[in-house]
Amino acid sequence: MIEARGAALLYHDHGREVYACRDIGLRVSEGEFLGILGPSGSGKSSLLYMLSGLKTPTSGQVLVDGIDLASLGDEARSRLRLERFGFVFQHPHLLGYLTALENVVLGASGSGDRLVEAENRLSRLGLGDKMHRLPHELSGGERQRVCVARALMGSPEAIFADEPTAALDHANGHAVVDMLRQERGGGALVMVTHDPSMLDGADRIVTLVDGCLGEAAVAARPGIEPGTC
Amino acid sequence: MASTFLFRNAGKTIPLVAVIVLAVMLISGIVAMIDSIPLSIRTIYRYSQQMVGITPRGDPAQTPIIRDRIEKEAPVPLERVMVCRATGAQVRSIVGKWPFVVLGLAREDMTYYLDRMGSRGINGRLPETGKAEALISEPVARNLGLRKGSLLLGPVQDGAYSPEEVRVVGIADTDEWLMFTPIEYQRAHHFPPIDVLLVFAENLPDQAKLDNWAVKAFKGERAQVFVYQELERDTQDMFKILYKILNVVIATLVLVITLMMAMLMNIYQSQRLPEYGLLQALGYTRRQLLSRAFGETLVVVVGGWVLGLLVAYSLLLVVRAQLMTPQAFALDPLDRMAFIYTIPIPVAILAAGALTVWSRFRRFDPVSVVERRLV
Ligand SMILES: Nc1ncnc2c1ncn2[C@@H]1O[C@H](COP(=O)(O)OP(=O)(O)OP(=O)(O)O)[C@@H](O)[C@H]1O
Ligand SMILES: [Mg+2]
């Protein structure tokens, strides 16, 4: 469904060229749970941004259903993100002046039964009695669960999660990952983390080191192979 | 959706709206007050719309000749031609004292004149023929603080001289400004000994035709014609320069306010960048977010503007009731000029706000927000 071909992301840092990712070849299949592991600064977030259309590769391509994302305009790429993708970021970003429910509604476009869906999502994530609270009235874990509910809105084909558990304790982190796994329906889940234990249920895990990719079969755990350039 | 933020962040919205309200109030207030001056001139001398006044020049014997000519040549039917004398008094305005004419009229001419001015009656009575007595209208009484028995003209009255004390015996209930004494009294005691003609057409459109004709007919003749249109023209000329100065002042004011508001808008929109960044990351298009930001600005600006106009209107009503009406000064709380002068404020602020948002959006990476590199 989503495919990176020789994708690279190059930053210019005070005249110096820094590759956040280089020569990435990676497929995300329908419905799979793909884990991306790697140390800090290895380019995990950059890879996720390229796969989800938030960043355009400086060379190579990212294709969604065979269409090069770079060939799409800002408008079409935005629509793709809103309608077909879901996002959970490391920090539970919510709009402070909207209630949990209203924040979740933002996760899908169109009108109709968005409100009903949002209520259901929140209830299933255990926030049924808190959906009318403002974000500052929720705990960090609860806020991240609201973000999960928002990402699940509209049953996206792929959910991208960038260290969704980083700001949470171990138990809460696991709870959030489980929710993402169980509630995502048929959608793929691409999750970045530096904590291998969060990827227990993953179908496949790839590792990144210095922006280069290596693949490790789930079966091969715990000896996950590092990526090589 | 656009208003959700505004309502839930009243602490940020109210100061913004308040600044616009104050600016609109200030400008429309200033313009309405300045406009009240020419409006007062027009109101005070409006009586002259109903007639054309003609005085002989250099030769008092011209009056009957002029009268003859008018009665023969006038292009419209004449309702009445009367002879009067005139002396001067003063009325008060917010910019000092203005001259006003005290007409000396025959008793039956007074009755006709009052009728023509839409008088609804007299509190008191008409001056007795030949006596040192005066009739004034209600606005004059209010303006000068006169009542029945008050002195209108007198030997020591500033700018309202008469050798005898002329007291008010009646106050006419009309909106027009007027002061009468018996013509015989003025003939006996006032200078110059010139009979003035007042010529009334049957109605206002005819009167305007008559006025125009008179101005042309007596050009270069030994007669001076006084018509209302000339007063209008003179007033406009008089205020032309004042309005030029006013334009500069208001343009500067609008500029200052707009700069200030643009700065405020800039801060305000900067605080919203994380929100826009998040929404953009989630998949809202730049256009959606721009129109959302623009919508919010529109609500604030138009809301502030309308509110400002309402506040200004209420304030001018109070000013009129408390300060102007008691002295019969004219003030129009719905002044068109005052309204027009406020339009640059919302337009300029809207433009500044839109420009701010647009320029901030041009180079903006939502990733910087979700990565928290931007707080
Ligand atoms: N805007 C930028 N300008 C310059 N260099 C950047 C920029 N963003 C990222 N980088 C560099 O690219 C590399 C990869 O960054 P990235 O954020 O993808 O790492 P990461 O694996 O997500 O790290 P972490 O686990 O700490 O989030 C890093 O070396 C980083 O310094
Ligand atoms: Mg990262």
Side-chain angles (χ1 to χ4, degrees):
Chain A
M1 185 183 71
I2 305 172
E3 188 181 1
R5 284 188 194 156
L9 195 60
L10 178 66
Y11 284 115
H12 291 276
D13 179 24
H14 298 98
R16 218 160 44 87
E17 293 190 339
V18 180
Y19 274 99
C21 290
R22 67 178 102 191
D23 198 27
I24 304 283
L26 182 66
R27 269 187 77 92
V28 181
S29 309
E30 253 164 66
E32 81 166 325
F33 177 5
L34 173 66
I36 301 175
L37 258 182
S40 183
S42 58
K44 307 182 293 295
S45 297
S46 304
L47 173 56
L48 202 73
Y49 297 145
M50 285 197 297
L51 291 176
S52 59
L54 271 170
K55 287 239 182 241
T56 307
T58 38
S59 60
Q61 293 172 310
V62 172
L63 310 164
V64 174
D65 290 340
I67 298 168
D68 186 357
L69 284 188
S71 70
L72 296 176
D74 172 59
E75 195 99 341
R77 252 201 321 263
S78 294
R79 203 165 332 113
L80 181 78
R81 286 204 300 277
L82 188 61
E83 288 168 6
R84 296 175 59 186
F85 294 167
F87 291 90
V88 184
F89 302 107
Q90 179 172 352
H91 303 280
H93 291 288
L94 295 168
L95 300 193
Y97 63 92
L98 295 183
T99 63
L101 184 63
E102 289 164 336
N103 266 290
V104 172
V105 168
L106 285 177
S109 65
S111 47
D113 41 15
R114 274 202 295 172
L115 202 63
V116 178
E117 184 187 349
E119 281 171 356
N120 286 338
R121 297 267 178 215
L122 280 169
S123 298
R124 291 177 67 87
L125 298 185
L127 290 170
D129 52 340
K130 291 174 181 169
M131 56 179 112
H132 296 295
R133 290 202 193 171
L134 291 172
H136 69 84
E137 297 162 337
L138 297 171
S139 75
E142 286 166 344
R143 280 204 289 273
Q144 195 59 299
R145 273 188 275 159
V146 175
C147 293
V148 169
R150 182 178 63 196
L152 293 168
M153 282 293 286
S155 306
E157 292 162 44
I159 294 174
F160 297 92
D162 189 357
E163 309 217 32
T165 62
L168 306 177
D169 64 42
H170 205 73
N172 259 309
H174 270 287
V176 163
V177 175
D178 287 342
M179 285 170 188
L180 275 171
R181 272 178 50 206
Q182 287 154 17
E183 297 290 326
R184 72 184 203 271
L189 173 61
V190 182
M191 193 167 97
V192 159
T193 179
H194 57 257
D195 178 0
S197 77
M198 291 296 166
L199 298 176
D200 282 344
D203 301 312
R204 196 156 60 100
I205 295 170
V206 295
T207 56
L208 265 184
V209 173
D210 285 338
C212 298
L213 200 63
E215 197 148 349
V218 183
R221 203 194 307 251
I224 297 164
E225 283 172 36
T228 46
C229 287
Chain B
M1 200 47 164
S3 46
T4 312
F5 177 87
L6 300 177
F7 281 118
R8 296 199 189 163
N9 291 276
K12 286 174 188 166
T13 312
I14 290 171
L16 274 180
V17 174
V19 171
I20 300 173
V21 168
L22 286 175
V24 169
M25 203 181 81
L26 187 70
I27 287 178
S28 78
I30 290 176
V31 176
M33 286 305 290
I34 288 183
D35 262 359
S36 85
I37 303 169
L39 183 64
S40 288
I41 294 181
R42 272 186 227 110
T43 310
I44 290 173
Y45 302 107
R46 194 172 51 207
Y47 69 92
S48 61
Q49 228 172 343
Q50 303 282 348
M51 71 196 81
V52 50
I54 304 176
T55 60
R57 267 180 161 157
D59 176 14
Q62 290 289 321
T63 304
I65 301 168
I66 296 168
R67 180 175 191 151
D68 216 40
R69 184 161 166 211
I70 291 172
E71 284 174 344
K72 285 209 188 85
E73 297 178 18
V76 294
L78 301 179
E79 189 170 276
R80 198 176 182 102
V81 181
M82 61 176 79
V83 168
C84 73
R85 285 291 177 101
T87 187
Q90 289 180 328
V91 293
R92 290 185 300 150
S93 80
I94 46 174
V95 287
K97 292 191 168 175
W98 285 335
F100 197 80
V101 68
V102 185
L103 293 177
L105 291 176
R107 213 178 144 86
E108 66 276 15
D109 285 339
M110 282 186 201
T111 312
Y112 169 79
Y113 196 123
L114 284 174
D115 207 38
R116 180 83 188 225
M117 295 300 157
S119 175
R120 296 170 285 264
I122 299 173
N123 173 15
R125 58 174 173 80
L126 285 176
E128 294 286 350
T129 306
K131 287 264 182 70
E133 291 177 347
L135 179 108
I136 57 176
S137 65
E138 195 276 327
V140 174
R142 241 188 307 148
N143 179 258
L144 295 173
L146 299 178
R147 280 181 290 178
K148 272 188 291 176
S150 303
L151 205 59
L152 178 68
L153 307 173
V156 293
Q157 290 283 90
D158 259 352
Y161 172 79
S162 193
E164 285 183 30
E165 290 193 338
V166 178
R167 292 191 180 272
V168 176
V169 295
I171 296 173
D173 182 15
T174 165
D175 299 329
E176 304 300 332
W177 293 51
L178 53 86
M179 301 178 188
F180 295 160
T181 62
I183 190 167
E184 303 80 12
Y185 174 80
Q186 288 206 21
R187 280 201 171 120
H189 295 98
H190 278 271
F191 193 78
I194 297 172
D195 284 338
V196 179
L197 289 171
L198 297 182
V199 186
F200 296 82
E202 283 175 354
N203 51 51
L204 274 185
D206 271 5
Q207 188 68 49
K209 277 184 214 152
L210 179 65
D211 289 5
N212 285 334
W213 170 80
V215 169
K216 279 193 208 107
F218 291 101
K219 198 161 197 119
E221 308 268 325
R222 302 191 71 175
Q224 188 172 8
V225 179
F226 298 94
V227 295
Y228 178 75
Q229 285 103 305
E230 215 149 275
L231 179 88
E232 279 271 338
R233 216 172 310 124
D234 288 350
T235 311
Q236 262 169 23
D237 278 352
M238 207 155 71
F239 282 85
K240 218 175 252 168
I241 292 171
L242 191 63
Y243 268 105
K244 271 187 190 146
I245 297 170
L246 193 67
N247 283 342
V248 174
V249 170
I250 288 184
T252 313
L253 211 60
V254 168
L255 198 74
V256 170
I257 291 166
T258 304
L259 276 177
M260 217 175 72
M261 284 302 296
M263 258 155 59
L264 276 179
M265 281 287 172
N266 200 347
I267 296 170
Y268 178 82
Q269 295 294 355
S270 300
Q271 292 174 340
R272 310 287 306 280
L273 276 187
E275 171 180 348
Y276 297 145
L278 173 65
L279 289 175
Q280 212 178 336
L282 291 181
Y284 288 82
T285 62
R286 206 177 285 250
R287 194 143 53 90
Q288 279 173 308
L289 296 174
L290 270 176
S291 63
R292 190 184 159 115
F294 191 74
E296 277 179 22
T297 314
L298 197 73
V299 169
V300 168
V301 169
V302 173
W305 178 56
V306 170
L307 213 63
L309 287 176
L310 286 178
V311 172
Y313 173 67
S314 328
L315 219 66
L316 287 171
L317 278 183
V318 172
V319 167
R320 187 171 69 169
Q322 295 295 314
L323 301 174
M324 308 295 272
T325 308
Q327 315 207 54
F329 297 159
L331 174 72
D332 182 7
L334 290 174
D335 192 295
R336 228 179 48 132
M337 274 299 220
F339 170 77
I340 290 170
Y341 268 91
T342 63
I343 293 176
I345 301 179
V347 172
I349 295 174
L350 209 58
L355 209 70
T356 310
V357 175
W358 181 76
S359 68
R360 293 208 147 248
F361 255 114
R362 252 178 2 142
R363 23 186 189 84
F364 178 63
D365 181 7
V367 167
S368 65
V369 169
V370 296
E371 283 269 277
R372 275 237 175 139
R373 262 182 266 133
L374 202 153
V375 179

